[in-house]
Amino acid sequence: MAQTNTGGQGTNGVADESPNMIVYRKMEEVIARMQEEKNGIPIRTVKSFLTKIPSVFSGSDIVQWMTKNLDIEDPVEALHLGTLMAAHGYFFPISDHVLTLKDDGTFYRFQTPYFWPSNCWEPENTDYAVYLCKRTMQNKARLELADYEAESLARLQRAFARKWEFIFMQAEAQAKVDKKRDKIERKILDSQERAFWDVHRPVSVYGLQNDIRTHSPTHTPAPEAKQPTEEELQEQITFWQLQLDRHRLKMSKVAESLIGYTEQYLEYDPCLTPPDPSNPWISDDTTLWELEASKEPGQQRVKRWAFGIDEVLKDPVGREQFLKFLESEFSSENLRFWLAVQEVKKRPIREVPTRVQEIWQEFLAPGAPSAINVDSKSYDKTTQNVKDPGRYAFEDAQEHIYKLMKSDSYSRFIRSSAYQELLQAKKKVNSTFFKLFSMLQSKTYQDFEPTAHL
Amino acid sequence: MVVCCCLGRTATWVSYQLKIHAQKYMRSPLIPEMATQEVQLNETLAHLKSESESLKSKLEEERAKLHDVELHQVAEKVEGLGQFVMKTRRTLKGHGNKVLCMDWCKDKRRIVSSSQDGKVIVWDAFTTNKEHAVTMPCTWVMACAYAPSGCAVACGGLDNKCSVYPLSLDKNENLAAKKKSVAMHTNYLSACSFTNSDMQILTSSGDGTCALWDVESGQLLQSFHGHAADVLCLDLAPSETGNTFVSGGCDKKANVWDMRSGQCIQSFETHESDINSVRYYPSGDAFASGSDDATCRLYDLRADREVAIYSKESIIFGVSSVDFSLSGRLLFGGYNDYTINVWDVLKGTRVSILFGHENRVSTLRVSPDGTAFSTGSWDHTLRIWA
C-alpha cells in the first residue's frame, strides 16, 4: 500500500518533525500509557451470546482513565480529546464506522501500530478497491458491506474497469492469507483494518477526519539548513555580544510591574469588569460605543489619562484637552511638534521631504515661529538629517521633546485645574438621562414653544 | 573590527580575531594552495561557530542569573478570577471554505476575514451583515488586515503579495478593480499589518523575511533579515513612540525588531516547534507566543527571557493564535483541537476552555476595546465571544 515518509524523519530525528508528527507522537505517548499493564485501561474479552468479543474496553473506561491520568477536571474535555484521538484512528468503536468517543458502555479497541497515522499513510483508491473486493469474498455477516461501502465499490469498479482482474487477484491473495489466521486474531485484525479505512475513506465526505490530516502550506518540511558563512557567523557573534551587554531587570521587579499593570487596568477590562451601561455584544445595546464616540469623556476615561503620558497621547479627546491646556499656557509648541512628527511618519514616502521642510521651518529653523528647545546634540543631528530628509529625520529631537513633555508639561496638565475639573465635575453621564436628554433635544423644536426652557 | 570596551574577556576575543585575520592575509596568494586554503577556511568556520555558540550559552547563563523568582509565585497574592463565563454571541457564516485570518476595524464592530478559497469578506459583526466581498486570484489567503482609517483592507497569501483594497461606500462597486499591489515577497505571505497609518504595511513571509512597505508607491522602506526559516506571524508594539515589532517563525525563534534600522534587537528561542502567533502584552513590555508544541509562552523584554509557560498535559494540539484581554490579565489561545483555552497570565493557570468550533481555530483577535474576541476556524465560520 502507498506509504510515504514526507516529513516523517528530519535529519535531526525528533527535532525536525512536522507539526502533525509532533501531535501524533504525543497521542502515541498517551496510548502507550493507556496500554500499560499496571495503570492502563483494563482490556478484556467479553463473552456475548454465542461468541467472544476479544480485546475491548468501554468508552467510559477511556473517559475515566483520562480524567484520572491526564489532569482533566471536566469529563466534557476528556470526551473532546478522546474523540480527536479516535478520529485519528488510535482507537475505534468496534460496531460503528463513525469515529467518536462516547461516555458509555460502547466497546472500543486499540489500533495496531502498523496502521498509526505517524507512518504517513496515503492509501490509494486501488488499495481501497482491493480491500472492499476482499470483504465481498468473505462469507461472514459481520463483514457485509455497508451502503456507502457498496456504493464506493461500485464506483471503483467503474473507475478501474480495465485493471479489475488485477485488483481481484490481489484481493483473493489477501483473503487466502487471512483465512489461515487464528479466528480470534482475525476478528481483531479485520476490525483494525476496517478502522484504518474509516480514517482514510470516512463515511461522510465532510467529516472531521478529512481535515485533520490536511497540511497548511505553511507547514512544508524544512529544507536542509545551509551552513552559515563566515560573515554570518561574525554577525551572530556581534549580536550575542550586544545581547550580553544589555541591561536586564530582575524577575521580581518585572513580576511586580506586570501585576501592577493588570491591576491598574482591571476596571477597564470588559472581560473582567462588566462595562457600564452594558457590553454591546451581550445586551445588543450600543450605548457604550455611542458614549465613547461623544466628545464628552466619562470620568473613568479621564482617570485613565493620569496613568501615563501615552494614555493622553493615545486618546484623541485626551490629546485635544492636553493641547488646549498647553495653549492656555502658551507652551503648546512641544506637543504640536511631537504631533507633527508623528504625522510625517504616517504620510506616503513621496510627501515626506516637503513635510520635513515644513516642520523644520515651523519649529527648528532659526527664527522659527514655534521654536522648540532641543539639546545641541539632537539639534546638530537633525540639521544634518533635514538635508537628506527621511521619515526619521526628527527622531532624536522627537525623543528629547517626548521626555521633556513627560517630565514637565504632562505632570502640569494632570495637576491642572482644567484636568481636575474634567475628573471631578464631569460625573459619568447616566445612560437613561443621556437618552432622555437627546430625545428631548430632538423634540424641542416641534413640541415646545420657543420661549420654553428645559 | 568591532570596537569593544576593555574587559579582559573581550580583549582576548579581539586578539583572537586579529590572529584569524592575520592568518588570512599572510597566506601567499601566488601559490595556489586550494586544498590547504579550504581546510583553513573550514577551521575558521568551526572556530567562529564554537565562539558563537559559547557566547550564546553565556547569554543564557546571564539571563538565568536574574531569575530570582517565578511570576506565578509573586502572583499568589493577587486575587483569583471568579467564575468565568464567555459564550458565542454571534456566528458569521458566509465563507465557503476554511477561514484563515481575521482583523478588527477600529470602530470595534467591523471585521475583515479571509479564507482558503480566496474570498475576503468585510462584516459588520454586530449585525452579522456582510458589507463587502472580494475574491482574490489566489487560494490560501493567510493574511488580512484592516486599515486604521477603516477605509481599506489588505490581504495576501499564496500569491506572495500583499494587496490593498480601498473600501467603497458604494456596495455595487467592484472592489477588485481598485486593487493595489503593495508588497512582493518570494514566498507566501503569512501575515500583514498596517502600522498606525493607512500608508505603511508591515508583512511577514515564508521567504524568511519581514518587510515594511509604502502603500502609495509600493516601495520597500525596510527589510528585516534574521529568521532562518519561514516567518509565520508578527505584531506591532502598542507604544505611541516605539518603532518596534515582534515576529515568530518556523525556526522556533521570536525576534524583536527596530523598524527604523532593520536590526534585530532581541531574540528568544525556547519553543520546541513553529511559532504560529505572537502578540504584545498591552503595556508593550512583554509579548506572548503560541506554538505547535501546544504551549503559549510569555517573554518579558526587560527581563530579557521567557517568564511563563501556559500548558497542560491534556493539551496536545498546537496553538494557532493568541491575544490578550485589555488589562493583560487573560490570554486567549485558539488551538488546533477546535477549542479556545483562556489562561490567567499572572498565575499561569487555565481559567476556562471554550467549545463551539467544529474544526481547527485558525485565528483569534480581541476587539479594539476589549469587549469581545473573534475566532475564525477551518469549519468555515467566525464566532464572536463575550
Side-chain angles (χ1 to χ4, degrees):
Chain A
M1 268 202 275
Q3 190 177 351
T4 59
N5 221 6
T6 49
Q9 256 94 64
T11 50
N12 216 1
V14 179
D16 291 340
E17 291 195 317
S18 74
N20 277 359
M21 197 55 76
I22 296 175
V23 182
Y24 296 153
R25 297 279 176 238
K26 287 192 188 160
M27 284 196 279
E28 284 160 19
E29 271 170 52
V30 175
I31 293 287
R33 282 171 63 191
M34 282 182 176
Q35 290 174 324
E36 263 172 36
E37 281 268 345
K38 259 192 175 178
N39 300 318
I41 299 180
I43 307 173
R44 53 196 195 276
T45 302
V46 172
K47 288 204 174 67
S48 129
F49 197 41
L50 287 169
T51 58
K52 284 195 241 170
I53 308 177
S55 187
V56 289
F57 43 93
S58 75
S60 337
D61 286 341
I62 303 177
V63 175
Q64 270 175 35
W65 186 92
M66 287 175 91
T67 313
K68 192 168 128 192
N69 291 279
L70 290 180
D71 182 30
I72 295 179
E73 302 92 29
D74 188 1
V76 174
E77 212 187 317
L79 263 180
H80 183 84
L81 179 59
T83 299
L84 280 170
M85 291 180 75
H88 280 85
Y90 283 102
F91 49 75
F92 55 91
I94 60 171
S95 324
D96 199 349
H97 283 285
V98 180
L99 302 170
T100 56
L101 177 62
K102 295 199 192 129
D103 190 6
D104 56 18
T106 315
F107 286 130
Y108 290 81
R109 192 171 280 145
F110 282 118
Q111 180 60 282
T112 172
Y114 177 70
F115 283 134
W116 280 355
S118 48
N119 292 330
C120 299
W121 286 103
E122 271 170 51
E124 318 236 324
N125 280 331
T126 42
D127 301 320
Y128 191 41
V130 169
Y131 169 69
L132 289 175
C133 195
K134 180 176 71 167
R135 283 267 295 276
T136 61
M137 292 173 182
Q138 292 154 327
N139 217 358
K140 291 232 176 327
R142 67 176 164 84
L143 294 173
E144 220 174 74
L145 291 181
D147 285 341
Y148 81 95
E149 286 175 318
E151 275 173 38
S152 299
L153 182 57
R155 245 187 321 109
L156 289 164
Q157 274 176 324
R158 285 196 298 275
F160 295 129
R162 269 185 269 140
K163 52 172 163 177
W164 196 256
E165 204 182 308
F166 175 63
I167 289 176
F168 191 84
M169 270 167 47
Q170 279 197 303
E172 254 187 340
Q174 282 190 19
K176 240 190 195 160
V177 171
D178 284 351
K179 274 207 177 75
K180 292 197 183 127
R181 285 196 219 276
D182 163 64
K183 208 167 84 164
I184 298 284
E185 207 190 324
R186 264 190 76 183
K187 257 193 188 168
I188 297 175
L189 288 173
D190 283 347
S191 70
Q192 288 172 334
E193 198 180 4
R194 196 202 66 190
F196 172 81
W197 289 108
D198 285 340
V199 172
H200 293 273
R201 293 291 183 276
V203 180
S204 148
V205 177
Y206 302 111
L208 45 74
Q209 286 90 326
N210 262 329
D211 284 330
I212 279 183
R213 290 164 301 117
T214 308
H215 287 271
S216 160
T218 61
H219 292 306
T220 46
E224 272 286 337
K226 293 188 304 221
Q227 279 293 358
T229 65
E230 195 178 325
E231 199 187 312
E232 282 170 0
L233 284 169
Q234 300 280 25
E235 272 175 22
Q236 275 180 28
I237 289 172
T238 315
F239 178 74
W240 295 130
Q241 205 66 43
L242 279 168
Q243 293 301 307
L244 273 164
D245 290 340
R246 166 186 295 278
H247 172 67
R248 274 170 215 90
L249 281 188
K250 270 199 298 197
M251 189 59 219
S252 42
K253 270 222 168 87
V254 162
E256 291 298 338
S257 163
L258 290 170
I259 292 172
Y261 185 91
T262 56
E263 298 212 311
Q264 191 177 45
Y265 284 87
L266 193 79
E267 66 177 286
Y268 296 90
D269 188 340
C271 295
L272 300 169
T273 311
D276 187 11
S278 67
N279 185 326
W281 299 99
I282 301 176
S283 64
D284 286 341
D285 173 11
T286 58
T287 311
L288 178 73
W289 291 335
E290 284 158 24
L291 286 173
E292 273 171 25
S294 78
K295 282 285 184 170
E296 316 274 300
Q299 191 190 43
Q300 212 190 22
R301 186 172 174 184
V302 175
K303 184 168 124 186
R304 200 168 160 170
W305 300 344
F307 290 172
I309 188 174
D310 277 0
E311 287 292 344
V312 171
L313 295 173
K314 207 163 58 175
D315 186 344
V317 178
R319 276 202 302 271
E320 211 182 293
Q321 290 296 327
F322 190 24
L323 192 62
K324 222 162 100 180
F325 164 73
L326 290 174
E327 274 167 1
S328 73
E329 287 197 335
F330 303 103
S331 61
S332 65
E333 62 278 352
N334 282 349
L335 180 59
R336 284 189 292 116
F337 170 72
W338 189 88
L339 290 171
V341 176
Q342 288 292 91
E343 256 313 296
V344 158
K345 288 194 271 191
K346 294 184 190 179
R347 301 312 303 162
I349 199 86
R350 177 182 48 90
E351 293 178 19
V352 166
T354 4
R355 291 294 184 105
V356 167
Q357 284 304 325
E358 286 170 9
I359 293 176
W360 172 259
Q361 291 304 322
E362 175 75 17
F363 296 99
L364 286 160
S370 311
I372 55 170
N373 254 331
V374 188
D375 64 295
S376 54
K377 189 164 162 216
S378 308
Y379 190 83
D380 290 336
K381 213 151 176 227
T382 311
T383 319
Q384 284 303 312
N385 290 344
V386 172
K387 293 194 178 134
D388 182 17
R391 289 162 65 235
Y392 295 103
F394 298 110
E395 204 65 4
D396 295 296
Q398 194 191 24
E399 218 179 289
H400 179 87
I401 292 295
Y402 177 81
K403 287 194 186 124
L404 213 64
M405 282 199 299
K406 193 171 170 179
S407 58
D408 184 38
S409 346
Y410 170 71
S411 358
R412 282 209 316 278
F413 171 60
I414 297 299
R415 288 197 306 267
S416 74
S417 49
Y419 175 76
Q420 294 300 328
E421 262 171 45
L422 279 170
L423 190 61
Q424 250 99 57
K426 282 257 153 65
K427 292 229 178 330
K428 256 196 332 288
V429 181
N430 183 284
S431 60
T432 37
F433 176 71
F434 180 73
K435 276 199 179 124
L436 186 68
F437 187 68
S438 45
M439 195 171 67
L440 285 170
Q441 274 200 312
S442 63
K443 279 189 168 198
T444 28
Y445 198 70
Q446 287 143 337
D447 300 6
F448 292 91
E449 285 169 16
T451 48
H453 292 287
L454 289 163
Chain B
M1 200 169 72
V2 177
V3 176
C4 314
C5 47
C6 288
L7 297 172
R9 178 168 46 83
T10 48
T12 331
W13 178 80
V14 164
S15 67
Y16 168 76
Q17 289 297 305
L18 277 171
K19 192 167 126 206
I20 300 276
H21 281 278
Q23 278 177 349
K24 261 170 66 183
Y25 291 120
M26 276 161 70
R27 277 204 307 268
S28 169
L30 295 172
I31 302 162
E33 290 166 323
M34 296 297 280
T36 12
Q37 277 183 0
E38 199 177 306
V39 165
Q40 279 181 321
L41 187 66
N42 282 339
E43 268 176 23
T44 314
L45 283 179
H47 277 303
L48 288 178
K49 212 173 177 187
S50 72
E51 176 77 21
S52 173
E53 264 150 40
S54 74
L55 281 174
K56 189 175 169 184
S57 339
K58 228 192 161 82
L59 178 63
E60 292 310 316
E61 271 173 42
E62 289 299 312
R63 279 171 162 174
K65 276 186 192 161
L66 292 169
H67 195 67
D68 52 348
V69 74
E70 293 287 344
L71 175 60
H72 63 82
Q73 286 172 316
V74 183
E76 267 162 31
K77 62 182 178 185
V78 179
E79 209 181 297
L81 297 167
Q83 252 302 346
F84 197 78
V85 177
M86 271 188 119
K87 291 196 266 192
T88 301
R89 304 291 173 174
R90 303 283 191 280
T91 306
L92 305 178
K93 296 190 187 163
H95 276 290
N97 211 312
K98 306 180 178 66
V99 177
L100 302 174
C101 186
M102 60 81 45
D103 191 19
W104 286 91
C105 175
K106 284 219 158 68
D107 73 358
K108 309 157 199 168
R109 53 189 286 173
R110 282 177 174 73
I111 64 177
V112 61
S113 60
S114 63
S115 68
Q116 188 196 341
D117 60 3
K119 272 248 164 52
V120 175
I121 302 179
V122 175
W123 318 70
D124 176 350
F126 193 71
T127 59
T128 75
N129 289 337
K130 297 191 234 336
E131 296 195 335
H132 303 270
V134 72
T135 308
M136 293 275 286
C138 70
T139 56
W140 288 94
V141 185
M142 291 173 267
C144 63
Y146 225 121
S149 67
C151 299
V153 292
C155 50
L158 285 186
D159 57 350
N160 300 358
K161 292 194 258 183
C162 184
S163 310
V164 176
Y165 291 87
L167 296 175
S168 146
L169 288 169
D170 176 6
K171 302 279 169 72
N172 292 323
E173 193 176 343
N174 183 10
L175 279 188
K178 290 260 175 80
K179 169 177 162 180
K180 194 184 182 67
S181 250
V182 174
M184 289 280 292
H185 278 280
T186 54
N187 207 328
Y188 65 87
L189 189 83
S190 54
C192 64
S193 173
F194 284 88
T195 59
N196 54 7
S197 148
D198 280 22
M199 296 296 140
Q200 283 115 36
I201 287 193
L202 189 60
T203 58
S204 65
S205 165
D207 65 12
T209 69
C210 299
L212 181 67
W213 310 83
D214 178 65
V215 173
E216 203 199 38
S217 61
Q219 188 185 333
L220 173 68
L221 297 172
Q222 184 62 259
S223 69
F224 306 89
H225 298 260
H227 277 287
D230 306 18
V231 187
L232 296 179
C233 52
L234 58 82
D235 191 35
L236 280 148
S239 159
E240 289 304 298
T241 53
N243 284 309
T244 59
F245 72 94
V246 62
S247 66
C250 290
D251 57 357
K252 310 171 201 166
K253 286 205 218 139
N255 290 339
V256 181
W257 305 87
D258 177 337
M259 268 164 60
R260 183 182 172 191
S261 64
Q263 293 302 313
C264 172
I265 50 185
Q266 259 174 303
S267 184
F268 304 91
E269 192 176 348
T270 61
H271 271 293
E272 293 164 18
S273 183
D274 302 358
I275 297 178
N276 294 316
S277 173
V278 284
R279 196 72 67 207
Y280 270 96
Y281 183 79
S283 72
D285 294 318
F287 67 90
S289 59
S291 159
D292 276 331
D293 66 7
T295 67
C296 300
R297 295 175 198 233
L298 184 69
Y299 298 89
D300 188 285
L301 301 175
R302 301 159 297 185
D304 189 33
R305 64 192 310 278
E306 172 195 292
V307 300
I309 305 183
Y310 307 100
S311 68
K312 245 177 162 262
E313 208 179 349
S314 55
I315 299 178
I316 60 181
F317 283 79
V319 188
S320 63
S321 52
V322 295
D323 205 353
F324 285 99
S325 72
L326 195 133
S327 65
R329 181 68 190 269
L330 299 171
L331 180 68
F332 301 103
Y335 288 71
N336 291 343
D337 64 2
Y338 320 170
T339 65
I340 296 137
N341 286 290
V342 186
W343 301 91
D344 181 328
V345 172
L346 301 176
K347 293 185 184 277
T349 54
R350 187 190 59 195
V351 171
S352 179
I353 177 169
L354 304 174
F355 298 96
H357 277 297
E358 291 165 15
N359 207 320
R360 246 185 231 217
V361 176
S362 53
T363 178
L364 186 156
R365 295 297 295 263
V366 172
S367 76
D369 64 351
T371 48
F373 70 88
S374 167
T375 52
S377 163
W378 281 19
D379 69 5
H380 309 187
T381 69
L382 291 121
R383 284 173 183 245
I384 312 287
W385 307 76

